């Protein structure tokens, strides 16, 4: 129970802006619980996005405005952590084929032209896709599915066999902390629940999860190849890639 409680606190405190007590201890086991429970920690973010979409539709706001408000609420609720990770990852991958130089660029924290361009393009994809889903009448469902799918892929990124790119940092703490069986279970549960998503055919929800995972897996594979594994920034980039992929499937 101590591991579970610490894992929940670590997940909520890391992935959201919801104030929670600090974990009593942080080790590989606690990190694995936290990454597997990423979707649970993101439930408030998903609920906020869904309610904004429902409320905006109820009062007749334009679909584009509602989509922007929902995405903005999720970014605010996660302190922009994943968006920052996406930009830093893009800068690192675009800076140099030298692993150490790429990691150094990612560590700096400021965003260069590659990171900014990637951030804008991914947000445009998310915005356009969610706008389309809202116009089609299932925007709330699309927002909830996409936000949760984005956090489900954390268990994939932290599964056994995916190394850390650095010996220190968030990536080193959570790398290989999730047993492969647990990562598979998270995917199966996510896919199964997505088939029950209201307002969508069963196959559409399943497709959203599959495409979200596929987008994250492509970015993850590229990062493992180029920089040798994951960092905290890579985790954020994979979250945003998954959200974009899931939204596209529901647009």
């Amino acid at each position: 129970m101590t591991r579970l409680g610490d894992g929940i606190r670590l997940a909520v405190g890391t992935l959201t802006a919801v104030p929670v007590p600090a974990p009593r201890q942080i080790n590989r086991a606690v990190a694995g619980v936290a990454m597997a429970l990423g979707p649970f920690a993101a439930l408030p973010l998903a609920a906020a996005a869904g309610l904004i979409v429902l409320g905006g539709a109820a009062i007749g706001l334009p679909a584009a405005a509602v989509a922007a408000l929902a995405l903005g609420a999720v970014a605010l609720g996660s302190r922009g952590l994943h968006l920052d990770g996406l930009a830093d990852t893009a800068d690192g991958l675009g800076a140099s084929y030298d692993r150490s130089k790429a990691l150094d660029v990612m560590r700096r924290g400021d965003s260069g032209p590659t990171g900014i361009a990637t951030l804008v393009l991914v947000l445009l994809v998310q915005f356009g896709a969610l706008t389309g889903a809202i116009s089609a009448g299932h925007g709330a469902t699309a927002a909830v599915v996409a936000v949760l799918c984005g956090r489900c892929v954390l268990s994939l990124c932290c599964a056994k066999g995916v190394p850390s790119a650095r010996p220190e940092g968030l990536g080193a703490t959570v790398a290989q902390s999730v047993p492969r069986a647990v990562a598979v279970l998270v995917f199966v549960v996510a896919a199964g629940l997505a088939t029950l998503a209201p307002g969508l055919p069963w196959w559409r929800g399943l497709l959203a999860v599959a495409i979200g995972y596929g987008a994250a897996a492509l970015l993850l594979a590229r990062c493992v190849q180029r920089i040798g594994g994951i960092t905290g920034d890579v985790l954020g980039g994979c979250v945003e890639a998954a959200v974009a992929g899931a939204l596209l499937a529901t647009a």
Side-chain angles (χ1 to χ4, degrees), residues 106-199:
M106 294 170 67
R107 186 183 287 110
R108 292 174 191 170
D110 55 342
S111 295
T114 303
I116 293 173
T118 300
L119 189 60
V120 170
L121 289 172
V122 171
L123 283 173
L124 282 174
V125 170
Q126 293 180 359
F127 168 76
L130 183 54
T131 300
I134 293 170
S135 299
H138 54 258
T141 297
V144 171
V145 169
V147 170
L148 295 181
C149 178
R151 280 65 185 177
C152 285
V153 302
L154 289 171
S155 58
L156 167 70
C157 298
C158 299
K160 295 287 186 182
V162 182
S164 172
R166 297 192 187 105
E168 77 288 333
L170 177 61
T173 301
V174 300
Q176 305 195 66
S177 64
V178 180
R180 292 180 182 178
V182 174
V184 171
L185 178 62
V186 172
F187 170 75
V188 170
V189 171
L193 290 177
T195 64
L196 305 176

Side-chain angles (χ1 to χ4, degrees), residues 30 75 82 96-97 112 137 166 173 179 196 215 220 227 241 247 250:
V30 170
H82 309 308
S96 173
Y97 280 100
R166 297 192 187 105
T173 301
L196 305 176
L220 177 63
I227 62 175
L247 285 174
T250 61

Side-chain angles (χ1 to χ4, degrees), residues 174-246:
V174 300
Q176 305 195 66
S177 64
V178 180
R180 292 180 182 178
V182 174
V184 171
L185 178 62
V186 172
F187 170 75
V188 170
V189 171
L193 290 177
T195 64
L196 305 176
L200 292 176
W202 69 267
W203 59 268
R204 195 81 172 270
L206 179 61
L207 183 65
V209 172
I211 292 180
Y213 262 79
L218 285 174
L219 178 57
L220 177 63
R222 184 61 172 164
C223 290
V224 171
Q225 178 190 39
R226 282 286 310 281
I227 62 175
I230 63 168
T231 66
D233 288 329
V234 171
L235 296 180
C238 287
V239 167
E240 294 299 338
V243 170

